Amino acid sequence: AGVMASAYSETLTVQSGESIQAAVNKAQSGDSIKVLPGVYRETVFIDKEDITLQGVVVDGKWPVLDGAGKLNDGILASGHGVTIQKFWIKGYKGNGIMTQGANNYKILDNYVDGGFYGIFPQFGRNGLVARNRITRIEDAGIYVGMSDNVDVIGNEAWGNVIGIESENSRDMLLEGNYVHDNTNGFAITLIPGMPVKDAARTTIRH
């Protein structure tokens, strides 16, 4: 079944001026969506499994998701196995990138400028948040909440209230991150009254 799925997967391309969400709506499980440089003023929802949403950087020009200070969220994913990579995300009031109940996700190589949370995985397991750069966030640059087995590796977080936070989460690895010039570098918290009641086995190193 896996071989058949990969054999029939497609790559969709989004040009500047087109809608990323329209491509997501068209995509089937296992498909990849390549987004070319340009400014995209939208919120992208991914509720399908095994979707790869990848920005294409050409001569230093990125695909930019711009909330213009009006939209709440940049990219929201609830499907399992989603990859979000190489987007410049700015001007959103809420979250730059958020996963909600998604497992086996990858959030890689993005630049998030501004918002309340930069990268915010919640209620998921088996995630990877790596090589992202996050700045000017009102709360946490990277905020992993009520999750299990998430690796946060090789990111840079600066100029935020909190650089990286793990809340009510278990089996977390925070490794090789460059966290500087925040009010608080790392916060490992256990908040009462949340659906997940414990926090355990968090490693911060290098």
Side-chain angles (χ1 to χ4, degrees):
V3 172
M4 290 177 64
S6 63
Y8 289 100
S9 63
E10 296 185 10
T11 298
L12 292 75
T13 301
V14 181
Q15 306 275 351
S16 179
E18 297 178 343
S19 167
I20 301 172
Q21 186 64 54
V24 173
N25 293 345
K26 182 180 178 181
Q28 302 295 318
S29 178
D31 286 354
S32 296
I33 301 167
K34 303 285 188 180
V35 181
L36 298 182
V39 179
Y40 301 86
R41 302 184 187 277
E42 59 182 308
T43 297
V44 180
F45 299 93
I46 306 172
D47 60 357
K48 302 174 181 180
E49 297 190 0
D50 300 317
I51 297 293
T52 296
L53 183 65
Q54 184 171 41
V56 178
V57 180
V58 180
D59 296 329
K61 296 180 180 179
W62 287 62
V64 178
L65 277 165
D66 188 355
K70 299 178 181 179
L71 299 176
N72 196 63
D73 302 302
I75 301 173
L76 298 173
S78 60
H80 301 318
V82 169
T83 297
I84 300 165
Q85 185 172 26
K86 285 193 176 178
F87 287 91
W88 192 301
I89 300 172
K90 66 176 186 176
Y92 289 90
K93 296 187 295 182
N95 309 293
I97 299 171
M98 183 178 189
T99 67
Q100 185 79 8
N103 301 328
N104 306 314
Y105 57 82
K106 297 178 182 179
I107 302 173
L108 311 171
D109 305 306
N110 301 284
Y111 189 106
V112 182
D113 183 359
F116 195 76
Y117 294 114
I119 296 174
F120 184 7
Q122 188 179 45
F123 291 115
R125 61 178 65 244
N126 304 331
L128 174 63
V129 180
R131 303 186 305 273
N132 302 280
R133 302 180 70 208
I134 310 101
T135 189
R136 300 200 302 176
I137 301 299
E138 296 176 26
D139 197 289
I142 298 173
Y143 175 52
V144 184
M146 290 172 280
S147 298
D148 292 274
N149 193 34
V150 177
D151 293 347
V152 181
I153 297 176
N155 302 278
E156 182 179 7
W158 77 101
N160 310 295
V161 174
I162 301 170
I164 299 174
E165 181 171 6
S166 170
E167 179 184 278
N168 295 47
S169 294
R170 296 156 298 201
D171 298 301
M172 301 287 298
L173 173 62
L174 283 54
E175 182 174 17
N177 298 287
Y178 181 29
V179 180
H180 60 97
D181 299 297
N182 306 282
T183 303
N184 181 15
F186 291 91
I188 309 303
T189 57
L190 176 58
I191 306 298
M194 306 295 281
V196 175
K197 305 301 182 184
D198 65 334
R201 299 178 300 279
T202 293
T203 299
I204 307 174
R205 64 189 182 201
H206 306 318

